[in-house]
């Protein structure tokens, strides 16, 4: 049964990690009904592993764009010096945008998870950012030009601003992609560039967070048996494959639609969570 649960949780992670609907919120709901029959230490490791699967999908899908070295591109041609320069600049922008989360997030991450990773706080943040998406798309965007339509033209200053918005995602239920996309739209970045830059931001942030959790897992004397390793492998592969599909779908979606749908979805999900939390508290 744990293998089946691992597949379901891997699917949820793969879909929700990159869409602006909060993977944390969905995993909290899922874990309420789909519990792995494992220790808490293993469950923490499991969440790290499926997250790594999601990250790897971005690296694979955008390898040609993220690779700063003179390798063959998809057209089977050598990268030009200009293309190499732009790739290095992209990585500088990503690192600049990651600085606020690294400086502010690392000291606060465990405290925020301990106090806010619960039904009510997560539900409230789902609703708040759901409303934000709708208001921005209907009131802000129509009156402001989304002038940054190419990620190569994203200024370093704007990258830093997006990174500051990413700090808000430390509160569970906010959604890392949700916070960064909201911030990007507010400063004039197009939907496609906002989504793509969010994917790239996830690489160092999520790798760093996952590495720290892995170190703590093994440092505390935890280990894995063969069955547990199999569960992790299955979940990793599922999260990786589903993430690839989710990323491709989102990039196609934002070419023709805005983020209003995600705002409505977040509000409905947040409301259902509040109702469930109330019922659970009563009974």
């Amino acid at each position: 049964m744990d293998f089946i649960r691992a597949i379901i949780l891997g699917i949820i992670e793969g879909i929700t990690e990159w869409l602006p609907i909060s993977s944390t919120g969905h995993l909290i709901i899922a874990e309420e009904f789909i519990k792995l029959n494992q220790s808490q230490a293993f469950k923490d490791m499991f969440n790290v592993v499926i997250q790594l699967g999601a990250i790897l999908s971005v690296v694979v899908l955008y390898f040609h764009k993220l690779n700063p070295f003179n390798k063959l591109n998809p057209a089977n041609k050598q990268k030009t010096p200009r293309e190499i320069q732009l790739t290095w600049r992209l990585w500088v922008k990503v690192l600049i945008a990651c600085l606020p989360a690294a400086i502010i997030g690392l000291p606060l991450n465990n405290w925020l998870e301990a106090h806010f990773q619960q039904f009510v706080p997560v539900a409230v943040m789902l609703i708040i950012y759901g409303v934000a998406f709708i208001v921005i798309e209907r009131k802000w965007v129509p009156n402001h030009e989304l002038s940054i339509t190419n990620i190569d033209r994203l200024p370093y200053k704007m990258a830093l601003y997006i990174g500051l918005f990413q700090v808000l995602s430390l509160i569970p239920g906010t959604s890392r992609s949700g916070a960064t996309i909201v911030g990007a739209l507010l400063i004039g970045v197009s939907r496609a560039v906002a989504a793509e830059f969010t994917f790239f931001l996830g690489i160092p942030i999520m790798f760093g967070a996952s590495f720290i959790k892995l170190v703590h897992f093994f440092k505390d004397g935890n280990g894995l048996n063969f069955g547990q390793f199999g569960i992790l492998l299955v979940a990793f592969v599922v999260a990786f494959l589903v993430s690839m599909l989710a990323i491709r779908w989102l990039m196609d979606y934002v070419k023709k639609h805005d983020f209003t749908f995600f705002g409505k979805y977040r509000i409905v999900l947040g409301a259902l969570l509040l109702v469930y939390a109330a019922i659970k508290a009563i009974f």
Side-chain angles (χ1 to χ4, degrees):
M1 289 301 296
D2 270 355
F3 278 95
I4 296 174
R5 295 184 182 106
I7 291 172
I8 296 172
L9 293 172
I11 292 172
I12 294 171
E13 167 67 19
I15 293 173
T16 61
E17 184 61 55
W18 305 112
L19 304 186
I21 54 178
S22 177
S23 60
T24 300
H26 285 77
L27 287 174
I28 285 178
I29 298 169
E31 289 170 0
E32 185 74 8
F33 304 99
I34 309 170
K35 297 181 183 296
L36 293 172
N37 294 320
Q38 304 289 337
S39 66
Q40 186 58 50
F42 177 82
K43 292 177 183 177
D44 293 338
M45 164 68 82
F46 179 87
N47 290 334
V48 170
V49 169
I50 58 176
Q51 192 176 62
L52 288 173
I55 304 170
L56 183 60
S57 67
V58 175
V59 176
V60 172
L61 281 174
Y62 290 95
F63 183 77
H64 65 283
K65 193 176 187 73
L66 296 170
N67 177 21
F69 302 104
N70 193 23
K71 301 293 183 182
L72 294 178
N73 62 23
N76 204 32
K77 296 178 181 179
Q78 293 288 336
K79 274 189 171 182
T80 65
R82 174 64 174 167
E83 288 174 327
I84 295 172
Q85 183 184 49
L86 289 174
T87 303
W88 281 115
R89 286 183 180 178
L90 174 60
W91 275 111
V92 172
K93 294 171 189 176
V94 168
L95 293 176
I96 288 173
C98 288
L99 284 176
I103 295 171
I104 302 172
L106 288 177
L108 294 177
N109 186 57
N110 290 337
W111 183 85
L112 287 169
E113 283 189 358
H115 291 81
F116 289 93
Q117 196 157 328
Q118 303 168 30
F119 277 104
V120 173
V122 168
V124 170
M125 297 312 297
L126 281 168
I127 293 172
I128 288 175
Y129 278 85
V131 172
F133 268 123
I134 295 173
V135 171
I136 288 171
E137 288 288 10
R138 292 183 176 176
K139 301 295 184 181
W140 178 268
V141 173
N143 299 312
H144 297 81
E145 183 184 3
L146 300 180
S147 57
I148 306 300
T149 58
N150 188 317
I151 200 167
D152 295 330
R153 296 185 178 180
L154 181 71
Y156 294 112
K157 184 189 294 185
M158 280 191 173
L160 178 60
Y161 292 158
I162 294 173
L164 290 171
F165 274 94
Q166 183 174 234
V167 175
L168 299 174
S169 68
L170 290 170
I171 302 175
T174 298
S175 170
R176 192 189 58 78
S177 59
T180 53
I181 288 173
V182 163
L185 291 176
L186 286 174
I187 61 175
V189 178
S190 71
R191 298 179 185 90
V193 173
E196 192 174 59
F197 193 63
T198 294
F199 299 155
F200 301 155
L201 277 186
I203 297 173
I205 289 293
M206 292 164 65
F207 262 127
S210 297
F211 176 76
I212 291 172
K213 289 180 180 179
L214 287 173
V215 169
H216 284 305
F217 178 83
F218 290 109
K219 187 178 179 181
D220 292 339
N222 298 301
L224 298 172
N225 58 43
F226 184 77
Q228 289 175 326
F229 180 80
I231 292 171
L232 292 177
L233 180 61
V234 167
F236 176 89
V237 172
V238 170
F240 167 75
L241 294 175
V242 175
S243 283
M244 293 188 73
L245 296 174
I247 290 170
R248 286 173 172 167
W249 179 85
L250 181 62
M251 293 308 296
D252 287 337
Y253 180 86
V254 296
K255 292 175 183 177
K256 302 175 182 178
H257 306 86
D258 60 25
F259 287 102
T260 302
F261 167 78
F262 297 108
K264 293 177 179 178
Y265 176 86
R266 290 178 63 105
I267 293 171
V268 172
L269 180 63
L272 290 174
L273 269 179
L274 288 176
V275 171
Y276 179 78
I279 294 173
K280 189 177 179 181
I282 294 172
F283 298 99

